[in-house]
Amino acid sequence: MLRPYRVAVYGTLKRHQSNHRVLAGSRLVGECSLNSIVLYDLGPYPGAKLERSQGVLIEVYEVDGPTFARLDALEGYDAASPAMGLYDRKLLDTPLGRAWVYIYNHAVSKGGEIRVGGWPQ
């Protein structure tokens, strides 16, 4: 049995979004809001930053090791140099337990902030 990882998703990996197929076969733990991130609308996808919010909607999944590796590849996570990839990942507390959250590494425009609710708006 491969160890399950908990991952919180907020954008194209959510149900009914373009990259949800990457989570095929993974168990949905539940939906909740996370107050420790703010989303920035980057056009085709959002990026999260570690900032206080009024509650960003997330879905939490349990994934196996191969799925976790596919998520890292999709998100441009560089394990050797996390600050250099498109996204880093952080283990954050959620109302459904601790989960990995992909955090956008680059500058964002303050115009596209989502501090409450979800993406897409």
Side-chain angles (χ1 to χ4, degrees):
M1 171 77 181
L2 297 173
R3 176 179 160 208
Y5 299 88
R6 283 203 172 181
V7 178
V9 300
Y10 51 79
T12 65
L13 288 161
K14 292 185 342 186
R15 289 175 291 171
H16 312 296
Q17 298 300 321
S18 60
N19 287 316
H20 184 70
R21 68 189 176 286
V22 176
L23 292 171
S26 299
R27 184 176 81 83
L28 174 64
V29 176
E31 299 175 62
C32 59
S33 292
L34 194 57
N35 295 326
S36 57
I37 62 171
V38 170
L39 299 184
Y40 289 86
D41 190 337
L42 303 175
Y45 56 88
K49 292 288 195 175
L50 291 173
E51 299 173 19
R52 296 293 301 161
S53 71
Q54 297 169 358
V56 170
L57 299 176
I58 60 169
E59 296 174 0
V60 177
Y61 289 86
E62 279 189 354
V63 303
D64 59 18
T67 301
F68 198 44
R70 286 192 298 276
L71 291 171
D72 280 352
L74 175 72
E75 302 293 7
Y77 173 72
D78 181 352
S81 186
M84 298 306 293
L86 184 60
Y87 287 84
D88 192 355
R89 60 173 149 82
K90 303 289 183 188
L91 195 55
L92 301 179
D93 291 321
T94 81
L96 299 170
R98 291 176 64 77
W100 291 101
V101 178
Y102 288 92
I103 305 298
Y104 191 63
N105 270 336
H106 301 286
V108 292
S109 166
K110 294 294 183 183
E113 297 176 16
I114 302 170
R115 292 188 174 276
V116 63
W119 184 93
Q121 288 189 300

